[in-house]
């Protein structure tokens, strides 16, 4: 890379040795003068714009940039694209430069209004650095009143980041080529606008002798971090010395800003293009927004050439204006070329962008504050003594008891139940599980439906036709699970006809016959038929109890997650709640075993629904038979008017009906037994559903969940048990301090918004 290609990379940061090699006296005089001027920056903002940006500046000063995405201008581009020169020309702040170096870290330039001129440099460490290195870097802070001291201070800042080999060797920092640390330069003065601009390292396309793949990836990560922030305006800089199709930054910004709503393209080094060449024409078209369209458009700048490196900003601007008057770029609108027109564009752009984002920014701040307070409240008060630990557990148990009881009773009032609602009522979502009573009701209903639809072993079609999906073997064999066709679930009832059901009952009747007369059946026959018909009840009930127990366990997990920190949650769960749930589950399955033991005894019934059902079935058969007899005895005649008259021979009806009575006494017994089976099954099914949902699920799984961890339980814990559950580790104390600090910052920002939002946002 030649010096001529390097020079327009702008804010090139010199090493400590290079800084000392510069002509200190001439640069100091020029820089000192610059500290007092910068009136061109005033052009960035009107009074109304300044009021809007003041709000963001005050919020940033609270230290909220690490919490909220704040509006800012980011100058980004490929390496040696001239982006740092764009930043320098825009702010007219003369940074120390070295032709042999590129920007190797992000530099945030924060301009603030103040009564006196001052410049403060500090370094914000990469959070992934070791704690010892972060502490060392955070300790670095230098303030100056004259820009002549800027080269010296920035050299020290580079050493702190480990970017200066000589000085880094004197510290614990490891020598590196690029850093994720951020150099923060806060410049205050009475004429400074409220503005934040960021210069980031240029994207590197290939590895070189001094640049590793790790360095390439690190620079890409830094770029992605800044340009992906939704409130960042990207100044995407492309150099005219390279085909813009090959410059990675354009691909990057379009990935994060597909519509180009927060990207303005900046073309640099147009003077390097041969006049009248195809390359120049292509860049003129690009600047005209004809090729890569950006809603914010394009802008062209001519930065200092190598020979103009020592010229003043006034001379730089004059040279640029002269170039655009004479070059082929003169066909572009005046507002699209030159640094002065860029300031005007950014003035309006930044104002509208920030004004549009302020309401959403305030909303994000309020949300962050609410979430942080919730996290802190979840941690409870500080717990340094045994008394603190017990008080914390008492309060936690009280919150647990009240919320759990409300959820179990279906009283869903309060923020805990209404702050988040799942409209689809998906049982897997925490918002749904919080409403545990509604979930249990839903699951009980599903259990009842499942038992009604699939709980019986045989689904008997009461006509004399076999349904297509049920194939019953001939002879005296009765259906079994092997008859289930491929389109049926393993738990679906086996479909069979009434005729084959009677054959099945006949086989059971044969092996249960006692001393009863022919035409009657052993009363114990109904028991055997019933046991086989309800053989799937235990499995269905077991599955239901397990599912309800699991969802209740998840409810308590969600409740603890909402109300206490992770370390307390884990200890409390293992020491108290888990054992309580296990005991309740054991009791529930013991109750289920008792109910199933009752089912395995012969059915006992005192419900008139049983006899009513039997009578209805008998009457239905009689009505069907009588209707067939009447139809057989009917005579149809037509008179001269072609009207049909129907007459019935009563004797034929009586004769036919009498003949329809089957003299086969065994078949009659089977029909009577089938009627009894269907009737007792319906009655027992309803009773079984009620018993499982009330005596098992309600009595042992759901009711009393709040008593597992109540203030009464806490009062009975020993001091050692209390300390084991509620003691606060060092990491938790640090996290508490972090949350308290964040709340202070957010509340400060909240106060700023309350004071100014009414006047700046219509």
């Amino acid at each position: 890379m030649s010096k001529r290609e390097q020079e327009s990379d702008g804010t090139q940061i010199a090493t400590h040795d290079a800084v000392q090699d510069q002509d200190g006296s001439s640069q100091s005089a020029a820089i000192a003068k610059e500290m007092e001027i910068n009136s061109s920056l005033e052009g960035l903002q009107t009074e109304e714009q300044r009021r809007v940006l003041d709000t963001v500046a005050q919020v940033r000063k609270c230290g909220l940039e690490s919490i909220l995405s704040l509006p800012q201008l980011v100058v980004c581009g490929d390496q040696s694209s001239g982006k740092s020169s764009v930043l320098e020309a825009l702010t007219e702040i003369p940074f120390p430069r070295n032709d042999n170096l590129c920007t190797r870290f992000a530099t945030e330039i924060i301009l603030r209004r103040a009564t006196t001129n001052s410049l403060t440099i500090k370094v914000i460490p990469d959070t992934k650095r070791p704690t010892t290195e972060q502490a060392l870097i955070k300790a670095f802070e230098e303030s100056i009143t004259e820009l002549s001291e800027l080269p010296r201070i920035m050299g020290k800042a580079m050493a702190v980041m480990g970017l200066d080999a000589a000085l880094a060797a004197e510290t614990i920092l490891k020598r590196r080529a690029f850093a994720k640390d951020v150099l923060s330069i806060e410049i205050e003065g009475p004429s400074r606008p409220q503005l934040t601009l960021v210069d980031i390292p240029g994207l590197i396309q290939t590895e070189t002798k001094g640049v590793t793949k790790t360095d390439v990836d690190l620079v890409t990560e830094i770029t992605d971090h800044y340009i992906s922030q939704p409130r960042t305006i990207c100044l995407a800089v492309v150099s005219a010395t390279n085909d813009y199709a090959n410059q990675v930054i354009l691909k990057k910004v379009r990935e994060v800003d597909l519509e180009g709503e927060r990207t303005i393209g900046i073309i640099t080094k147009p003077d390097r293009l041969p006049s009248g060449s195809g390359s120049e024409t292509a860049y003129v078209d690009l600047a005209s927004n004809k090729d890569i369209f950006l809603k914010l458009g394009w802008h062209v700048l001519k930065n200092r050439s190598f020979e103009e490196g020592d010229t003043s900003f006034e001379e730089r601007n004059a040279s640029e204006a002269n170039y655009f008057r004479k070059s082929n770029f003169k066909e572009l609108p005046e507002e699209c070329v030159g640094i002065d027109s860029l300031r005007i564009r950014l003035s309006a752009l930044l104002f509208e962008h920030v004004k549009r984002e302020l309401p959403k920014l305030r909303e994000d701040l309020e949300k962050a504050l609410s979430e942080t307070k919730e996290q802190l409240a979840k941690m409870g008060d500080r717990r340094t003594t045994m008394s603190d630990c017990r008080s914390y557990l008492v309060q936690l148990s009280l919150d647990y008891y009240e919320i759990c009881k409300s959820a179990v009773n279906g009283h869903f009032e309060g923020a805990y139940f209404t702050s988040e609602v799942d409209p689809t009522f998906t049982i897997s979502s925490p918002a749904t599980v919080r409403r545990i009573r509604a979930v249990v009701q839903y699951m009980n209903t599903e259990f009842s439906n499942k038992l009604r639809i699939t709980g019986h072993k045989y689904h008997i079609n009461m006509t004399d036709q076999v349904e297509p999906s049920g194939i019953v073997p001939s002879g005296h064999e009765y259906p079994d699970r092997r008859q289930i066709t491929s389109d049926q679930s393993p738990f679906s009832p086996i479909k069979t006809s009434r005729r084959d059901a009677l054959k099945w009952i006949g086989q059971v009747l044969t092996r249960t016959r006692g001393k009863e007369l022919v035409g009657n059946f052993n009363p114990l026959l109904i028991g055997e038929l019933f046991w086989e018909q309800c053989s799937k009840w235990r499995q269905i009930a077991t599955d239901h109890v397990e599912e309800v127990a699991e969802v209740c366990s998840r409810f308590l997990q969600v409740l603890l997650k909402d109300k206490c920190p992770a370390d307390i949650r884990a200890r409390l769960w293992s020491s108290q709640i888990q054992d309580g749930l296990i005991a309740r589950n054991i009791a529930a399955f013991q109750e289920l075993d008792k109910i199933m033991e009752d089912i395995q005894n012969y059915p006992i019934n005192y419900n008139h629904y049983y006899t009513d059902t039997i009578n209805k079935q008998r009457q239905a058969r009689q009505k069907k038979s009588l209707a067939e007899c009447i139809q057989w005895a009917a005579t149809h005649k037509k008179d001269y008017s072609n009207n049909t008259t129907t007459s019935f021979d009563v004797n034929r009806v009586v004769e036919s009906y009498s003949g329809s009575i089957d003299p086969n006494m065994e078949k009659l017994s089977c029909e009577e037994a089938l009627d009894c089976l269907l009737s007792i099954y319906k009655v027992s099914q309803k009773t079984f559903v009620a018993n499982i949902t009330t005596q098992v699920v309600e009595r042992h799984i759901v009711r009393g969940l709040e008593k597992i961890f109540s203030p009464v339980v806490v009062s009975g814990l020993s001091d050692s048990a209390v300390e084991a559950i509620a003691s606060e580790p060092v990491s938790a104390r640090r996290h508490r301090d972090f949350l308290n600090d964040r709340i202070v910052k957010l509340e400060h920002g909240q106060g700023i918004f309350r004071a100014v939002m009414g006047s700046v946002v219509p």
Side-chain angles (χ1 to χ4, degrees), residues 200-486:
I200 58 178
L203 291 166
I204 308 171
Q205 298 191 29
T206 57
E207 304 171 35
T208 64
K209 182 178 179 181
V211 178
T212 65
K213 183 179 184 302
T214 301
D215 296 331
V216 174
D217 294 340
L218 179 62
V219 171
T220 300
E221 184 180 349
I222 293 172
T223 301
D224 291 342
H225 168 72
Y226 278 96
I227 68 176
S228 63
Q229 296 179 30
R231 296 192 178 97
T232 289
I233 295 178
C234 301
L235 276 63
V237 179
V238 296
S239 170
T241 60
N242 186 15
D243 188 344
Y244 56 83
N246 297 329
Q247 300 191 46
V248 182
I249 190 60
L250 294 180
K251 177 184 177 182
K252 286 284 184 184
V253 294
R254 280 186 289 182
E255 287 176 353
V256 298
D257 182 27
L258 187 62
E259 302 297 327
E261 295 179 339
R262 55 181 182 86
T263 301
I264 180 170
I266 307 293
I267 300 173
T268 62
K269 308 180 186 180
D271 52 315
R272 305 286 185 87
L273 296 169
S275 180
S277 65
S279 298
E280 184 183 58
T281 302
Y283 268 99
V284 170
D285 289 343
L286 180 66
S288 302
N289 223 3
K290 295 179 180 178
D291 191 346
I292 299 177
F293 178 80
L294 298 174
K295 285 187 178 181
L296 300 183
W298 289 81
H299 203 93
V300 187
L301 296 178
K302 176 192 173 297
N303 294 327
R304 293 185 179 105
S305 65
F306 178 75
E307 295 77 15
E308 298 171 335
D310 295 329
T311 59
S312 66
F313 286 115
E314 289 84 352
E315 292 171 330
R316 177 248 176 243
N317 295 345
S319 173
E320 180 184 59
N322 182 59
Y323 171 78
F324 285 123
R325 281 196 301 269
K326 298 178 179 179
S327 71
N328 290 327
F329 284 88
K330 64 185 178 182
E331 67 180 68
L332 297 174
E334 290 185 1
E335 61 270 17
C336 293
V337 297
I339 193 64
D340 291 332
S341 57
L342 178 60
R343 290 194 188 98
I344 296 173
R345 288 183 72 178
L346 290 179
S347 171
L349 173 63
L350 192 61
F351 169 66
E352 292 300 330
H353 177 70
V354 173
K355 188 174 181 179
R356 182 174 60 253
E357 290 292 329
L358 275 184
K360 182 64 168 63
L361 181 59
R362 181 181 186 180
E363 181 181 325
D364 290 349
L365 186 148
E366 296 287 352
K367 181 179 179 181
L369 179 58
S370 175
E371 291 175 349
T372 306
K373 286 184 175 180
E374 286 180 6
Q375 293 180 45
L376 186 61
K378 191 185 296 185
M379 296 189 71
D381 297 331
R382 291 186 183 274
R383 304 183 296 280
T384 56
T385 66
M386 178 60 62
S387 177
D388 293 340
C389 292
R390 189 173 291 277
S391 296
Y392 169 78
L393 280 186
V394 168
Q395 184 59 53
L396 177 61
S397 65
L398 182 60
D399 293 341
Y400 166 95
Y401 181 86
E402 292 178 346
I403 292 176
C404 189
K405 187 174 182 179
S406 296
V408 168
N409 291 334
H411 301 157
F412 305 129
E413 299 89 1
Y416 184 79
F417 300 105
T418 59
S419 59
E420 183 183 356
V421 177
D422 180 9
T424 60
F425 201 71
T426 306
I427 294 181
S428 60
S429 74
T432 299
V433 172
R434 290 188 185 103
R435 298 169 176 254
I436 188 63
R437 171 53 64 186
V439 174
V440 171
Q441 292 284 65
Y442 172 81
M443 296 178 74
N444 282 341
T445 302
E446 290 297 299
F447 164 68
S448 176
N449 291 335
K450 183 176 182 179
L451 195 74
R452 177 176 54 83
I453 297 172
T454 66
H456 43 286
K457 182 175 181 179
Y458 303 121
H459 180 75
I460 303 171
N461 181 8
M462 294 306 289
T463 66
D464 282 336
Q465 296 179 350
V466 179
E467 296 186 5
S469 59
I471 303 174
V472 181
S474 59
H476 294 287
E477 299 178 358
Y478 55 90
D480 58 30
R481 286 196 180 276
R482 290 174 295 179
Q483 296 170 287
I484 301 177
T485 56
S486 59

Side-chain angles (χ1 to χ4, degrees), residues 609-659:
Y609 179 78
Y610 169 73
T611 53
D612 291 345
T613 303
I614 291 177
N615 289 332
K616 287 179 181 178
Q617 290 172 346
R618 289 174 179 171
Q619 290 175 4
R621 290 200 305 274
Q622 292 170 356
K623 288 179 180 179
K624 178 182 177 183
S625 177
L626 181 59
E628 291 173 351
C629 293
I630 293 175
Q631 186 66 31
W632 178 77
T635 303
H636 307 283
K637 293 182 179 180
K638 291 185 178 180
D639 58 13
Y640 63 91
S641 301
N642 205 29
N643 294 323
T644 301
T645 58
T646 302
S647 59
F648 300 95
D649 187 333
V650 176
N651 292 328
R652 292 188 66 189
V653 171
V654 173
E655 181 183 352
S656 176
Y657 185 73
S658 299

Side-chain angles (χ1 to χ4, degrees), residues 118-158:
S118 68
L119 187 149
T120 302
I121 296 180
K122 54 186 176 182
V123 181
I124 303 171
D126 175 17
T127 56
K128 294 182 180 179
R129 279 185 181 268
T131 305
T132 53
E133 291 187 11
Q134 289 192 47
L136 179 64
I137 292 174
K138 287 180 180 178
F140 174 81
E141 182 173 333
E142 296 281 347
S143 297
I144 59 176
T145 56
E146 294 185 357
L147 286 178
S148 59
E149 301 178 67
L150 186 59
R152 177 181 63 83
I153 300 302
M154 291 189 68
K156 293 176 66 176
M158 291 180 64

